[in-house]
Amino acid sequence: MNANIVVQSLRAITRSLRDHLRCPSGVHRTPLSRTLGTIIAATLLCFTTGATAQVTPPPVFETQPCDPCVPESVRQKAMAATPLPTQSVAEAVTRRLKARFDAADANRTGALTRAQAEAGGFGFIAQNFEAIDRKRAGAVTFEDVKGFLLARGAKLD
Amino acid sequence: MNHIQLRSWRAGVLAAALALAACGGGGGGGDGGGVTTPPPAATFTDPNTYSSAASASLSTPNENVSVTQHTITLNGVALSYTATAGHLTARTLGAAAGAAQASFFYVAYTLNGRDPATRPITFFYNGGPGSASVWLHLGSFGPKRLVTGIPATTAAAPFPLVDNTDSLLDVSDLVFVDAVGSGYSMAIAPNTNQSFWGVDADATVFRDFVMRYTAAFNRGTSPKFLYGESYGGPRAALMAMLLESAGTRLAGVVLQSPAMDYNANCGVVATPNISCAPYLPSYAASGAWHNVATPSPAPAGIPAHMVEMRQLATTQYQPAVQAFLAGSTPSLPLVNQLVSATGLSQASWLARFNMTAPFFRTNLVNGQLLGRYDARVIATSTSALASEGDPSQTFINSSFAAGIGNHLTNTLRFTTPSAYVMSSGAINTWNFSHNGRPVPDTIPDLAAAIALNPRLKVLAVGGYHDLATPFFITEQDLARLGNSPNVQVKTYMGGHMTFLDDGSRVAQRADLVQFYQSALAQ
């Protein structure tokens, strides 16, 4: 147990060092000295207790969350990105669903059977297959899915 | 007992038996009719070493659990519940026996004597990305909470962990799950933690956790809710889209101070060309709290005052910021109006007209630093509380660390030699790109979930004094979904974690109860 804690503490120190080396600007981190202090204190505590009813838990890696934050490299990429052409949410939704449909369409046939939809993570299509497959084709296209959703009041473009 | 329940019960007994075997204990079984009988108590010492390193992966995942029995009195009713702590293996979707992806650590609180087929269940997670779900777990609506006394910073650390009379356990079973590389969650070989450190990969593996949990505990027909905080908001939007696509229906999604669109928040991407105008109402609320704004209404007057401040932000400050970013000089009358509205000096507004939160927090009160997560929390700039950049976070950090360690070890009887990781370094190597953009905009993902499930209910909550994800940005983000009775935004006194405020937690619980009722009524 104690040996494990020492190993864990060493790993924590390594990780903490690494985090500090890579800490992006704007991302607040617990000062290294404080992190080490906490880990060392927790480790000492583990060495010196043991006869009490309450078990001393293993050390908890205590770092400040920075949520939401991005590192500098991502900030640079976001700044360099060309602005999106104006796209309505309905348009974006349609694209997202089309992308999921295409991901499930492993054979690139433009249509999914019930089994293909299920296997491709699009169980929604499998569950509503009869209602979507109005032509009784045994396979549904994205237009079929779109028609089904539109009929249920979805905002698509 | 029908077949499905029997299967689930067997799974439960198996898990408990595995756990018992591991710690040398033993226990009997039980039986249930339409409801489950609580499983026998079991402690579990997990021999695995869990690591948050990017390159780390687990080769010996287990699904063993510790099981403990507890009681809590909510609204005068004594309730008994089971706490289950352990891991579940998320597998790839589709193929009959999908490949093992990640071993998720979770703590589930389930009310005894309820039929799992109809009992609602809610999955909670924090964000970061890289944060464990300890903040929601021990701060919000679980059966236990740490008494922080926020926004005061007078409570002695570590804070006591008490029964939470505002828990949602009377309304829903509650599952707190940690992201890969945080808590005790870890990727399974040949994957590494880094494999799941990206917007899409993370949401996908979280979906697979929900599906594994649902299968393991027979919750296929339970009304399901997601509750994500901060980065957990975009994760929830994506998970909702992925779960609905996969055919797993959700009843509701709660977004706690969510960062739905990274491009809309000048403090996240921090590019000089994003307007900080939607921060203005939060600056005004913070100035009012510290009694330096004119007017500085008391808390009861804040909602009405914020109506005016949203108006000022939209009609005057926003166009002025746009003009300023295009090179024009701001007008002095407007600057003076902003000085009154916030209490921040004229010199500050002239120095930084597109006002960023760090500048505001440093300069509102001379020699003092305001909190980022909760701007009501204030500390002398040179104090230990201010030394990490956010006194509202530094004040609670060590108590949550101590709290989770003790809770897992001594109350839930789940032990492991590994350290519980509050926050990994995931953010440094996270793949933020989503849908072809460098940082995520997940409003369309949430809209896609609604397109697939028109009855899905969404509730976004936030705090007036949150300078990380300001409430007005959340309102503007959610407004993109169009006017719908199924989408609501509620704002309370307090910061990012509104539930840490004793008054706001009560108000928020009341709104959540109503939200659950409306989601379950249909």
Side-chain angles (χ1 to χ4, degrees):
Chain A
M1 176 75 177
N2 285 348
N4 273 328
I5 288 166
V6 173
V7 170
Q8 285 303 309
S9 299
L10 287 172
R11 286 199 179 132
I13 290 163
T14 316
R15 180 181 7 245
S16 190
L17 275 167
R18 196 198 57 225
D19 284 351
H20 278 270
L21 290 171
R22 286 157 66 175
C23 181
S25 70
V27 177
H28 299 301
R29 291 265 172 216
T30 308
L32 182 56
S33 56
R34 202 185 123 119
T35 310
L36 293 182
T38 307
I39 292 162
I40 291 162
T43 309
L44 288 176
L45 205 64
C46 293
F47 282 130
T48 51
T49 56
T52 53
Q54 290 277 300
V55 180
T56 304
V60 172
F61 291 143
E62 199 194 310
T63 44
Q64 287 248 25
C66 183
D67 184 5
C69 280
V70 297
E72 180 60 20
S73 58
V74 174
R75 190 178 86 89
Q76 293 293 343
K77 259 196 276 178
M79 276 175 71
T82 47
L84 262 187
T86 311
Q87 194 185 47
S88 69
V89 171
E91 221 177 314
V93 168
T94 312
R95 284 184 189 211
R96 297 268 207 286
L97 293 174
K98 177 75 162 66
R100 294 223 62 72
F101 184 95
D102 290 344
D105 181 19
N107 301 334
R108 297 279 172 270
T109 60
L112 293 176
T113 64
R114 187 198 300 264
Q116 284 169 336
E118 190 74 63
F122 223 139
F124 175 88
I125 291 176
Q127 285 173 8
N128 297 284
F129 200 79
E130 273 81 32
I132 298 171
D133 184 22
R134 291 177 62 183
K135 298 185 293 267
R136 299 285 171 266
V140 297
T141 63
F142 183 67
E143 285 307 309
D144 294 333
V145 176
K146 221 174 125 176
F148 172 73
L149 294 174
L150 285 169
R152 297 201 317 176
K155 294 175 205 157
L156 300 173
D157 204 343
Chain B
M1 180 183 267
N2 68 34
H3 178 63
I4 295 165
Q5 281 163 339
L6 186 69
R7 247 186 21 206
S8 144
W9 176 241
R10 277 193 195 130
V13 169
L14 179 66
L18 283 169
L20 287 166
C23 63
D31 199 23
V35 298
T36 52
T37 308
T43 61
F44 178 53
T45 301
D46 193 332
N48 276 335
T49 300
Y50 295 99
S51 165
S52 68
S55 59
S57 63
L58 189 65
S59 47
T60 55
N62 68 62
E63 293 196 328
N64 301 341
V65 292
S66 73
V67 179
T68 47
Q69 293 300 322
H70 311 269
T71 55
I72 187 171
T73 301
L74 295 177
N75 297 319
V77 182
L79 302 170
S80 67
Y81 66 95
T82 301
T84 307
H87 289 80
L88 281 175
T89 298
R91 293 176 182 278
T92 47
L93 187 63
Q101 302 264 86
S103 183
F104 273 95
F105 181 70
Y106 69 95
V107 176
Y109 302 99
T110 50
L111 216 52
N112 295 339
R114 301 295 174 96
D115 184 354
T118 54
R119 170 81 173 152
I121 186 159
T122 308
F123 297 93
F124 290 78
Y125 37 82
N126 280 93
S131 171
S133 298
V134 57
W135 312 103
L136 283 166
H137 188 175
L138 298 187
S140 68
F141 302 101
K144 303 268 185 192
R145 73 175 177 89
L146 289 165
V147 183
T148 66
I150 285 276
T153 52
T154 46
F159 311 139
L161 188 69
V162 301
D163 273 351
N164 185 4
T165 52
D166 302 311
S167 177
L168 280 175
L169 189 57
D170 56 344
V171 174
S172 170
D173 287 342
L174 313 170
V175 180
F176 297 88
V177 54
D178 293 325
V180 175
S182 75
Y184 296 131
S185 293
M186 194 174 172
I188 297 172
N191 300 289
T192 63
N193 286 337
Q194 181 68 48
S195 309
F196 304 105
W197 287 357
V199 175
D200 294 321
D202 165 84
T204 305
V205 78
F206 258 90
R207 172 199 65 186
D208 298 339
F209 165 77
V210 168
M211 296 183 91
R212 176 64 193 134
Y213 185 95
T214 299
F217 292 98
N218 189 28
R219 305 306 295 253
T221 60
S222 306
K224 294 176 192 65
F225 292 82
L226 304 178
Y227 193 122
E229 175 178 324
S230 207
Y231 179 81
R235 177 185 285 142
L238 265 160
M239 283 174 70
M241 191 267 280
L242 292 168
L243 283 163
E244 295 288 350
S245 299
T248 297
R249 198 164 196 150
L250 295 173
V253 176
V254 183
L255 308 166
Q256 170 84 42
S257 308
M260 302 309 291
D261 180 4
Y262 270 41
N263 307 281
N265 187 331
C266 80
V268 175
V269 179
T271 62
N273 54 356
I274 297 181
S275 167
C276 297
Y279 271 73
L280 183 65
S282 308
Y283 294 153
S286 305
W289 179 267
H290 296 292
N291 216 20
V292 293
T294 310
S296 283
I302 287 294
H305 185 50
M306 288 300 109
V307 175
E308 279 176 50
M309 291 299 106
R310 288 185 189 93
Q311 191 73 9
L312 178 62
T314 312
T315 61
Q316 299 194 55
Y317 184 44
Q318 169 65 12
V321 169
Q322 292 300 352
F324 169 77
L325 293 174
S328 78
T329 309
S331 85
L332 213 52
L334 177 59
V335 167
N336 289 338
Q337 212 176 339
L338 296 171
V339 171
S340 297
T342 59
L344 186 64
S345 72
Q346 193 191 63
S348 291
W349 279 106
L350 289 172
R352 185 71 63 96
F353 187 66
N354 188 21
M355 183 56 64
T356 60
F359 195 95
F360 176 83
R361 297 195 290 115
T362 318
N363 291 289
L364 183 71
V365 182
N366 198 24
Q368 304 276 310
L369 178 68
L370 272 61
R372 173 177 182 257
Y373 284 136
D374 190 339
R376 298 176 305 168
V377 176
I378 192 165
T380 305
S381 304
T382 51
S383 66
L385 216 48
S387 65
E388 294 166 333
D390 181 355
S392 70
Q393 183 59 31
T394 298
F395 177 63
I396 62 172
N397 220 37
S398 64
S399 286
F400 275 75
I404 192 69
N406 268 320
H407 185 56
L408 292 174
T409 306
N410 292 309
T411 304
L412 303 182
R413 302 285 169 189
F414 180 94
T415 51
T416 159
S418 305
Y420 184 91
V421 175
M422 303 266 285
S423 185
S424 74
I427 202 165
N428 297 307
T429 52
W430 195 264
N431 179 1
F432 280 95
S433 65
H434 175 58
N435 201 41
R437 307 300 296 168
V439 290
D441 169 15
T442 57
I443 288 295
D445 300 288
L446 188 55
I450 294 168
L452 293 168
N453 176 7
R455 291 189 290 186
L456 181 67
K457 297 263 185 189
V458 177
L459 173 65
V461 293
Y464 289 119
H465 310 90
D466 177 5
L467 297 183
T469 56
F471 71 95
F472 196 31
I473 296 184
T474 300
E475 290 175 353
Q476 292 178 342
D477 285 347
L478 275 281
R480 291 169 58 206
L481 294 171
N483 260 335
S484 161
N486 286 351
V487 179
Q488 296 177 73
V489 184
K490 301 265 184 189
T491 310
Y492 310 93
M493 291 296 287
H496 201 62
M497 294 182 260
T498 44
F499 42 75
L500 296 183
D501 182 293
D502 290 340
S504 297
R505 188 176 56 257
V506 172
Q508 192 176 334
R509 182 193 133 88
D511 288 338
L512 284 164
V513 168
Q514 220 169 47
F515 174 75
Y516 275 77
Q517 282 169 351
S518 74
L520 295 169
Q522 48 189 7

